[in-house]
């Protein structure tokens, strides 16, 4: 347990009042319309959604996860985090395509890209999945805060899970996305500053960079310093085949829409930007800051390893970066550190609360239940679903123990069987709704079989995660490729309308020629003002 003094509690109280005050301040804007409550009226300059992208992906579970992989694997583990690089491609490819569509969510975009019953089933499926997934993410992020509060105050982890997520829900309930993005701007600055302070403090305590290097060599752990310390082509925990797989996923993933677990939270930021250019910059800079942050954390975790070597239990060493702050910082700074952890925590909680609510409101209630609902009704439903998602997150959070294990499984679950279909729907006109829907359904079943069930019964050996990825991708392709060719392509008139609006890349020759033949490319150029049309 850590002792807090008056100055420490002062920082915590000031921060909580600041965040809740933000919700009250922007309550008036958030209640004006559905667009304001969920995408801030589609009028933000790039740096606001960029700060929100960075703040959202800097959650309490993030240093736990990164600490877990760096403490266990050394610097080679940093490649686990390299999936962020998909943003370097997406910022200038799929970000632009999605922003031109004007869809609030990917579920809505599916009804623009595809047509008929298959598209409607996809919209229902994706929206339902995202409601569940946001509750799941909120649960593991909330449980990470519960673990931190247990470390600090000896609380039952459920108290930390319930308390701070509930406080965060106040301003999300009041101001919607306006409250989220304006609070994220402040939270991003606080989080970035404190990550640097605590990390450099820990590095200094371990003797600085030179001291860390010499200590690791003396301990016989010098291999941890080499990010390319592979164990062979296919053998050991870090084979070259694994590294190449990570590069493959990260770089080519930017050509997909919904390729990784991150895309869905980015989609809301993309549509809140005032233009296509602003949307591109927001994704590029938000994720670039994330990559820089991961590198700083990695060095700090090496410092933690030097200071506290030989910890065997993942549940203990996963909290390493937090221990650097709480055990090394002076009085007053400890409270400021905890306030920054709240900033890190609340930024992610608020984003996923509002994102889950937009799927429930826009894609379920508005699209299927009450298409004629007024803006006031939609804002009201958005607030109700915010509370429902919060309660669901408490249920899922109470089930989780080891953060790293769940997070890696979720990343593979989202990235394996649907990785290639998410790219195909962007670059290939012939890929249809039935192929995409079958890929999703197959992946959910296959991922549990390959990762958990079959190894448990000894039917297949326990595979490394990169092997799981390739196996799931191949198995999924044996299902969705035949389904695609055995079902009809989307109607040409629907594809032409989509092509003219979004200008996708890749193999769209037949659709483009049909659009040119009809003169639609000249009649409907993809230009816009800052009011929400594509640019």
């Amino acid at each position: 347990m850590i002792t807090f003094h008056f100055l420490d509690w002062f920082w915590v109280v000031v921060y909580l009042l600041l965040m809740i005050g933000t919700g009250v301040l922007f309550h008036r804007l958030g209640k004006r319309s559905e667009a304001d409550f969920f995408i801030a009226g589609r009028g933000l300059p790039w740096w606001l959604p960029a700060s929100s992208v960075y703040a959202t992906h800097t959650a309490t579970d993030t240093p736990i996860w990164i600490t877990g992989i760096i403490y266990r694997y050394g610097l080679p583990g940093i490649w686990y985090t390299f999936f962020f690089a998909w943003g370097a491609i997406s910022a200038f490819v799929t970000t632009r395509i999605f922003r031109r569509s004007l869809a609030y969510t990917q579920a809505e975009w599916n009804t623009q890209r595809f047509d008929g019953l298959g598209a409607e089933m996809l919209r229902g499926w994706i929206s339902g999945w995202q409601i569940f997934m946001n509750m799941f993410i909120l649960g593991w992020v909330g449980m990470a805060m519960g673990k931190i509060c247990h470390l600090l105050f000896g609380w039952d982890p459920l108290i930390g899970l319930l308390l701070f997520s509930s406080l965060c829900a106040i301003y999300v309930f009041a101001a919607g996305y306006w409250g989220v993005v304006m609070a994220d701007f402040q939270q991003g600055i606080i989080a970035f500053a404190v990550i640097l302070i605590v990390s450099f403090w820990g590095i200094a305590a371990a003797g600085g960079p030179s001291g860390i290097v010499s200590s690791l060599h003396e301990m016989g752990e010098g291999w941890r310093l080499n990010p390319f310390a592979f164990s062979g082509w296919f053998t050991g925990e870090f084979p070259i085949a694994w590294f190449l797989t990570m590069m493959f996923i990260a770089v080519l993933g930017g050509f997909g829409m919904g390729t990784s677990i991150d895309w869905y939270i980015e989609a809301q930021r993309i549509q809140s930007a005032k233009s296509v250019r602003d949307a591109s910059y927001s994704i590029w800079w938000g994720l670039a800051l994330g990559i820089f942050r991961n590198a700083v954390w990695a060095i700090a975790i090496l410092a933690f390893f030097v200071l506290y070597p030989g910890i065997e239990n993942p549940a203990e060493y996963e909290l390493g970066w937090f221990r650097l702050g709480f055990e090394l910082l002076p009085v007053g700074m400890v409270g400021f550190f905890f306030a920054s952890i709240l900033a890190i925590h609340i930024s992610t909680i608020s984003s996923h609360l509002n994102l889950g609510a937009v799927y429930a409101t826009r894609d379920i209630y508005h699209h299927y239940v009450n298409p004629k609902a007024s803006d006031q009704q939609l804002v009201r439903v958005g607030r109700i679903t915010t509370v429902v998602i919060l309660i669901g997150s408490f249920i899922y959070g109470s089930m989780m123990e080891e953060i790293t294990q769940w997070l890696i499984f979720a990343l593979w679950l989202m990235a394996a069987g649907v990785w290639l279909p998410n790219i195909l729907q962007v670059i290939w006109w012939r890929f249809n709704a039935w192929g995409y829907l079958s890929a999703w359904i197959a992946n959910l079943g296959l991922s549990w079989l390959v990762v958990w069930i079959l190894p448990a019964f000894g039917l297949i050996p326990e595979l490394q995660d990169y092997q799981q990825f390739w196996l799931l991708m191949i198995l999924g392709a044996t299902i969705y490729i035949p389904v695609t060719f055995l079902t009809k392509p989307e109607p040409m008139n629907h594809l032409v309308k989509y092509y003219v609006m979004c200008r996708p890349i890749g193999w769209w020759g037949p659709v483009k020629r049909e659009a040119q033949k009809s003169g639609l490319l000249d009649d409907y150029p993809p230009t816009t003002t800052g009011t929400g049309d594509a640019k």
Side-chain angles (χ1 to χ4, degrees):
M1 293 178 60
I2 307 296
T3 301
F4 270 39
H5 297 80
F6 172 78
L7 185 57
D8 296 312
W9 285 115
F10 171 80
W11 290 117
V12 175
V13 172
V14 166
Y15 172 74
L16 290 175
L17 290 176
L18 177 64
M19 292 303 100
I20 295 174
T22 298
V24 175
L25 181 63
F26 287 92
H27 170 75
R28 179 179 56 84
L29 295 179
K31 72 177 184 179
R32 291 187 305 189
S33 66
E34 180 189 31
D36 281 295
F37 194 80
F38 290 124
I39 52 175
R42 217 190 299 268
L44 300 180
W46 69 268
W47 48 272
L48 271 174
S51 64
S52 186
V53 168
Y54 170 73
T56 298
H57 290 303
T58 308
T60 42
D61 69 302
T62 317
I64 291 177
W65 173 48
I66 293 177
T67 300
I69 57 178
I70 299 299
Y71 191 92
R72 180 176 178 182
Y73 302 120
L75 285 187
I78 197 66
W79 298 114
Y80 266 115
T81 73
F82 196 68
F83 65 86
F84 267 135
W86 69 267
I89 303 297
S90 175
F92 302 102
V93 180
T94 46
T95 291
R96 292 177 174 271
I97 295 169
F98 185 72
R99 178 60 179 80
R100 292 175 186 134
S101 75
L102 305 183
Y104 279 53
T105 66
Q106 187 178 333
E108 183 177 352
W109 177 84
N110 285 139
T111 58
Q112 298 177 353
R113 167 62 178 86
F114 305 113
D115 187 49
L117 177 62
E120 292 299 328
M121 291 180 67
L122 264 176
R123 186 165 186 174
W125 173 271
I126 296 296
S127 56
W129 171 254
Q130 278 303 300
I131 292 169
F132 155 74
M133 197 63 193
N134 279 282
M135 289 191 290
F136 183 78
I137 293 170
L138 287 165
W140 87 49
V141 173
M143 184 49 67
M145 175 55 75
K147 288 189 172 191
I148 294 166
C149 290
H150 178 72
L151 171 69
L152 283 179
F153 312 118
W155 295 352
D156 187 298
L158 288 177
I159 297 175
L161 166 68
L162 298 171
L163 176 61
F164 296 108
S165 293
S166 299
L167 290 174
C168 170
I170 294 174
Y171 74 79
V172 181
F173 182 90
Y177 185 76
W178 271 111
V180 172
V181 74
M182 297 310 297
D184 275 357
F185 177 66
Q186 304 168 67
Q187 292 158 350
I189 294 173
I190 295 171
F192 190 79
V194 171
I195 287 170
L196 293 180
I197 291 171
V198 173
S199 296
F200 289 143
W201 207 289
I203 291 169
S210 60
I212 294 172
V213 171
S214 60
S215 295
L216 287 174
H217 282 296
E218 290 172 5
M219 297 162 65
E221 301 284 346
W223 62 270
R224 292 178 178 273
L225 297 166
N226 181 8
F228 300 99
F230 302 121
S231 54
W233 276 100
F234 298 101
T235 57
E237 288 192 313
F238 271 86
I240 295 174
W242 171 85
F243 171 74
L244 295 177
T245 299
M246 297 304 295
M247 297 302 99
F248 181 79
I249 294 171
V251 176
L252 295 185
F255 291 96
M257 196 168 293
T259 294
S260 76
I261 197 172
D262 295 325
W263 167 265
Y264 303 94
I265 200 73
E266 267 75 45
Q268 196 177 18
R269 274 79 191 142
I270 290 168
Q271 291 299 357
S272 70
K274 66 181 180 180
S275 70
V276 171
R277 180 179 298 173
D278 286 89
S280 296
Y281 287 173
S282 70
I283 298 302
W284 172 269
W285 286 107
L287 294 179
L289 284 173
I291 292 176
F292 174 77
R293 174 209 66 195
N294 293 346
V296 173
W297 263 334
I299 303 302
I301 301 315
L302 290 180
F304 176 75
F305 184 89
V306 167
L307 295 170
Y308 304 93
I311 302 175
E312 298 292 337
N313 186 356
E316 293 182 20
Y317 63 66
E318 283 180 340
L319 295 171
W321 185 76
F322 292 108
R323 288 183 61 183
L324 290 178
F326 290 126
E327 296 179 11
L328 300 179
L329 290 176
V331 172
M333 282 299 294
V334 173
F336 187 76
F337 179 44
F338 184 63
S340 73
I341 293 173
L342 291 180
I344 288 171
H345 176 68
I346 288 176
S347 65
T348 302
I349 294 294
S350 63
S351 294
H352 285 285
L353 280 174
N354 192 249
L355 180 63
V358 70
Y359 278 97
T361 303
R362 176 80 175 181
D363 295 301
I364 301 295
Y365 178 79
H366 194 190
H367 185 66
Y368 292 111
V369 179
N370 188 3
K372 296 182 180 180
S374 65
D375 277 323
Q376 289 72 26
Q377 288 176 303
L378 294 172
V379 171
R380 188 181 309 118
V381 171
R383 287 173 173 161
I384 293 171
T385 53
T386 297
V387 176
V388 171
I389 290 168
L390 177 69
I391 295 171
S393 75
F394 294 155
I395 297 172
Y396 286 112
S398 66
M399 301 176 184
M400 298 178 189
E401 289 294 332
E402 188 181 331
I403 299 298
T404 303
Q405 182 181 21
W406 279 103
L407 186 53
I408 289 177
F409 175 64
L411 289 173
W412 289 117
L413 181 67
M414 295 292 289
V418 294
W419 183 86
L420 185 55
N422 280 323
I423 297 175
L424 292 177
Q425 67 177 343
V426 174
I427 67 173
W428 186 30
W429 73 275
R430 181 58 180 83
F431 194 60
N432 61 17
W434 300 111
Y436 190 47
L437 185 61
S438 66
W440 267 99
I441 296 173
N443 183 62
L444 289 180
L446 291 171
S447 59
W448 281 91
L449 285 172
V450 169
V451 178
W452 303 108
I453 298 175
L454 295 180
F457 285 93
L459 297 177
I460 63 172
E462 289 191 8
L463 302 174
Q464 294 192 44
D465 42 25
Y466 81 93
Q467 295 170 323
Q468 293 169 358
F469 174 83
W470 288 107
L471 180 57
L472 286 169
M473 191 169 72
I474 293 170
L475 290 175
T478 64
I479 296 173
Y480 64 76
I481 293 296
V483 169
T484 298
F485 283 109
L486 290 173
T487 53
K488 295 180 180 180
E490 304 299 335
M492 184 57 69
N493 62 338
H494 182 88
L495 292 174
V496 166
K497 181 180 178 181
Y498 165 76
Y499 183 88
V500 169
M501 185 177 198
C502 298
R503 298 295 179 89
I505 64 169
W507 292 275
W508 288 82
V511 181
K512 181 178 180 180
R513 288 191 292 272
E514 186 65 29
Q516 290 172 330
K517 186 191 303 183
S518 303
L520 294 176
L521 290 180
D522 295 329
D523 295 341
Y524 298 93
T527 57
T528 182
T529 64
T531 59
D533 304 319
K535 191 171 187 177

